[in-house]
Amino acid sequence: MKKPAKPEKTVEHRRGQRMSAAMWVRLSSSGAELGMGSIANASISGAYLETTLQLPVDSKIVLEPISSAGADREGMKFAARVARVDGRGLGLEWRVMATPESLAFLGVVVPPPV
C-alpha cells in the first residue's frame, strides 16, 4: 500500500525577523505607476504586500510610502523584487537590506536591541 504524500513545507529565506507593519504604498516599475498596496509585515530582507495586483515573480518594482498625518515621506522609495505571489498579495525581497530607520518609515515598530 502506498503512503499518502506529505505536504510540502514552505522554506523561509528571510534574513530578519518579520514584524507587523501598516503602511499604504504606491507601486511603480520603470517609472510607470502600477497601483497601490498595503505593507502587512516587513523585515530587513523583505516584506509582504497585500494588493490585488498580480505581478510575475522576479518583477523589479519600487514602493513609495504614501504620506500620512504630518509625516514627511517625500522622496522615500524602496526598490524590491517580487519573490512570490499568492491570492492575497506579493512577497517582496528588498534590493538593499533595510535599516531600522527605513523600516520605521513603513510603519514597522522595531524592538530595541537586547
Side-chain angles (χ1 to χ4, degrees):
M1 182 166 31
K2 206 175 189 181
K3 290 184 181 180
K6 292 182 182 178
E8 289 186 32
K9 291 183 183 179
T10 302
V11 178
E12 293 285 336
H13 297 285
R14 188 172 294 101
R15 291 184 295 270
Q17 177 185 352
R18 184 185 303 201
M19 297 167 277
S20 293
M23 176 62 62
W24 282 93
V25 294
R26 277 189 201 92
L27 281 74
S28 63
S29 180
S30 301
E33 187 169 323
L34 301 174
M36 294 175 60
S38 177
I39 301 276
N41 60 61
S43 73
I44 61 168
S45 61
Y48 184 79
L49 180 73
E50 293 178 338
T51 183
T52 57
L53 292 171
Q54 294 290 302
L55 300 174
V57 169
D58 286 330
S59 294
K60 308 293 187 264
I61 60 172
V62 175
L63 284 70
E64 185 175 1
I66 297 172
S67 293
S68 63
D72 182 17
R73 292 181 172 85
E74 187 69 33
M76 176 63 82
K77 295 181 181 185
F78 297 85
R81 177 187 76 83
V82 176
R84 70 183 164 84
V85 179
D86 65 26
R88 288 184 32 233
L90 308 171
L92 305 176
E93 180 181 88
W94 303 129
R95 304 285 293 172
V96 175
M97 287 265 213
T99 64
E101 294 79 16
S102 62
L103 288 173
F105 275 104
L106 295 173
V108 174
V109 178
V110 180
V114 179

